[in-house]
């Protein structure tokens, strides 16, 4: 039974059905950038009161970047948080799983950001931590131009969406890494074949030669192999 209901009548059950449909669509998408864009667009359409959205990523606790956004408003807001090193999305990534803001202009937690609320066109927000993966943190950020626009159900509905989004994004990243590994494997195989034919050596000896050049030149093994496969030369 759909028991939880947002201010506009949206139920968590209805959100779950939308997410199930989105999951099926994202299974066909292999590019993490496209996955993030689809996620944030669907989040804005799904969460009551949301007008703009972004997915912010920060790597190695340094630069915060808009990895995907539905509008220039969302991008400007992310840039402002990066410039000021403060804001609800930053806190969601580092300190709390969910940060809700009814009126940014009245906020005391981020005074410099609050002073720019009108210029940025953002008054209410909901930011959800997406994942913690090694040195990478992420947050799903939903924004509105009016105070208290996101409604009482945003925490539950947005949280449900963010949890699903985190899984979809993690799967896409793993798939991208797998494809990259397969491409590297293929090009290394091509390079080994060239060396085996040219120097009449075994596969192990050809691979050892690639490793030696990689170490001597302080370059990644796949980069050395790609150069050999592309140019036919192996500079040592």
């Amino acid at each position: 039974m759909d028991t939880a209901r947002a201010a506009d009548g949206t139920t968590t059950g209805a959100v779950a059905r939308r997410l199930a449909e989105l999951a099926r669509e994202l299974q066909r998408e292999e590019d993490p950038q496209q996955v993030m864009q689809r996620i944030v667009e669907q989040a804005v359409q799904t969460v009551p009161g949301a007008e703009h959205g972004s997915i912010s990523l920060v790597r190695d606790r340094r630069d915060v970047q808009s990895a995907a956004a539905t509008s220039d408003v969302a991008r400007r807001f992310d840039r402002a948080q990066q410039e000021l090193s403060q804001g609800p999305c930053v806190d969601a990534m580092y300190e709390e799983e969910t940060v809700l803001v009814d009126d940014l202009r009245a906020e005391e937690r981020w005074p410099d950001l609050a002073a720019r609320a009108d210029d940025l066109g953002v008054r209410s927000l909901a930011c959800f931590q997406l994942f913690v993966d090694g040195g990478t943190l992420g947050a799903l950020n939903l924004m509105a131009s009016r105070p208290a626009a996101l409604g009482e159900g945003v925490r539950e509905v947005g949280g449900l969406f963010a949890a699903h989004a985190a899984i979809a994004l993690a799967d896409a990243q793993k798939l991208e890494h797998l494809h990259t590994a397969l491409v590297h494997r293929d090009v290394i195989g091509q390079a080994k074949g060239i060396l085996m034919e040219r120097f009449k050596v075994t596969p192990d000896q050809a691979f050892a030669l690639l490793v030696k050049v990689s170490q001597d030149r302080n370059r990644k093994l796949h980069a050395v192999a790609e150069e050999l496969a592309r140019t036919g030369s192996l500079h040592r």
Side-chain angles (χ1 to χ4, degrees), residues 43-200:
V44 170
Q45 294 176 24
T46 302
V47 175
E51 300 173 30
H52 314 282
S54 72
I55 290 180
S56 301
L57 297 182
V58 58
R59 303 185 189 280
D60 300 323
R61 293 185 173 266
R62 289 197 292 268
D63 293 336
V64 178
Q65 299 179 346
S66 258
T70 62
S71 66
D72 287 338
V73 170
R75 294 186 189 93
R76 286 199 305 270
F77 191 82
D78 280 350
R79 283 199 298 270
Q81 291 185 103
Q82 179 178 0
E83 293 168 4
L84 299 172
S85 298
Q86 63 175 230
C89 307
V90 175
D91 284 2
M93 282 189 279
Y94 286 128
E95 300 174 11
E96 305 176 48
E97 291 186 1
T98 304
V99 177
L100 303 180
V101 180
D102 282 336
D103 189 351
L104 180 62
R105 192 167 63 182
E107 271 291 342
E108 298 180 354
R109 289 176 287 182
W110 319 288
D112 295 335
L113 190 65
R116 297 174 59 176
D118 289 337
D119 291 338
L120 292 170
V122 175
R123 294 289 295 276
S124 53
L125 303 99
C127 304
F128 305 89
Q129 187 183 88
L130 279 184
F131 55 86
V132 179
D133 179 16
T136 302
L137 304 174
L140 171 65
N141 315 307
L142 304 173
M143 312 167 196
S145 59
R146 297 177 293 105
L150 295 178
E152 296 179 359
V154 65
R155 182 184 292 273
E156 184 165 9
V157 176
L160 181 63
F161 200 99
H164 179 86
I167 295 171
L169 183 54
D171 287 346
Q173 288 179 320
K174 290 176 183 176
L175 187 59
E176 182 189 46
H177 293 161
L178 174 60
H179 286 183
T180 300
L182 291 175
V183 170
H184 290 173
R185 185 190 67 179
D186 288 345
V187 76
I188 290 171
Q190 293 173 28
K192 285 169 56 180
I194 292 172
L195 294 176
M196 290 166 61
E197 175 66 24
R198 182 174 300 173
F199 299 111
K200 308 304 179 185

